[in-house]
Amino acid sequence: MEHDAFQREVQRHLDAGALSEAATLAVERLGPEVLGFMWSLTRDPDLASESFSVFCEDLWRGLPSFRGEASFRTWAYTLARHAALRVQRDPYRQRRVGIDDHPVLSDLIARVRTSTLEFLKSEVREAVGRLRERLKPDEQTLLVLRVDRKMSFQDIAVVMSGGPLTEGERKKRAALLRKRFERVKAKLQALVEAEGLRRAGEA
């Protein structure tokens, strides 16, 4: 089994006192899935990123005391959950251990965090995009023009009216569109929450 081979490899490093190698292997093999787990717990990319940093430090500190009562993977997930809960309680806590003294491991952690979060954000964006398709066509148009194209409500009023407007008409329609936009955002958020997703910094 793949996990059995991983466990044996980690244990071999630990038995040899090669903590950096054990930690590097753990982050390489478990880092992306652990970070995905943290994303699911926090529903926030910043909290997930900070939780992952705390998890890596806890892993580093805890390696010498790992006794194998549970599998290494189970032990790592236990650390991950505790790290996420601590960060959620106090996201501004000062982390105690600097892995910067181990540049190879530090660089690996940064790469795993960046690549995994980008992948997860992409997945969320795609999922939200699919949910957008469940909105009415004019609701989708309003979201695209305001969120994706960052147009003013007065400009959107002109686009969606299909022709020129007087200044008074633009202002009146812009006010109505602003209110409608809030309703559409609330509708999309309800769909997002029903699907168990969280927008990654955009509607």
Side-chain angles (χ1 to χ4, degrees):
M1 295 290 289
E2 181 180 349
H3 291 309
D4 292 338
F6 165 67
Q7 172 99 15
R8 288 193 299 271
E9 194 171 355
V10 169
Q11 193 62 57
R12 179 171 59 81
H13 288 311
L14 292 177
D15 291 342
L19 296 183
S20 292
E21 288 80 356
T24 299
L25 178 62
V27 173
E28 283 180 340
R29 299 286 181 85
L30 298 180
E33 64 178 88
V34 165
L35 185 49
F37 172 63
M38 288 172 155
W39 178 290
S40 71
L41 289 179
T42 64
R43 296 295 179 187
D44 183 287
D46 293 331
L47 287 179
S49 179
E50 178 62 14
S51 298
F52 184 67
S53 295
V54 173
F55 157 74
C56 290
E57 293 177 355
D58 290 348
L59 179 77
W60 177 254
R61 286 202 312 273
L63 277 174
S65 61
F66 175 70
R67 296 290 178 266
E69 288 88 353
S71 73
F72 188 87
R73 187 167 181 260
T74 300
W75 177 72
Y77 268 85
T78 303
L79 292 180
R81 181 174 179 274
H82 287 316
L85 291 175
R86 293 205 313 278
V87 169
Q88 285 177 299
R89 285 195 301 266
D90 185 9
Y92 302 108
R93 63 185 289 273
Q94 180 65 41
R95 289 189 270 123
R96 292 176 291 169
V97 176
I99 300 184
D100 293 340
D101 293 337
H102 306 275
V104 174
L105 180 57
S106 179
D107 290 346
L108 173 62
I109 290 169
R111 290 200 307 274
V112 168
R113 181 169 51 231
T114 299
S115 62
T116 304
L117 284 177
E118 285 304 313
F119 173 74
L120 291 170
K121 287 179 182 179
S122 176
E123 280 199 327
V124 171
R125 283 195 294 267
E126 290 178 7
V128 172
R130 289 192 295 271
L131 291 178
R132 279 188 180 189
E133 295 174 0
R134 292 163 61 177
L135 299 173
K136 296 177 182 178
D138 55 344
E139 293 175 334
Q140 293 182 42
T141 299
L142 179 55
L143 274 179
V144 169
L145 294 178
R146 180 60 181 169
V147 176
D148 300 338
R149 302 297 178 262
K150 313 220 181 284
M151 294 178 65
S152 70
F153 284 108
Q154 289 199 29
D155 287 341
I156 296 172
V158 173
V159 172
M160 295 188 71
S161 70
L165 297 173
T166 66
E167 184 178 351
E169 289 173 332
R170 284 202 309 273
K171 290 181 177 179
K172 182 177 180 180
R173 294 196 182 197
L176 294 174
L177 284 170
R178 187 185 300 274
K179 293 179 181 178
R180 188 177 187 191
F181 176 71
E182 294 302 321
R183 293 196 298 270
V184 172
K185 280 205 306 181
K187 181 177 179 180
L188 180 60
Q189 182 61 31
L191 291 173
V192 166
E193 291 174 354
E195 294 293 326
L197 301 170
R198 180 186 179 90
R199 287 171 292 177
E202 60 183 54

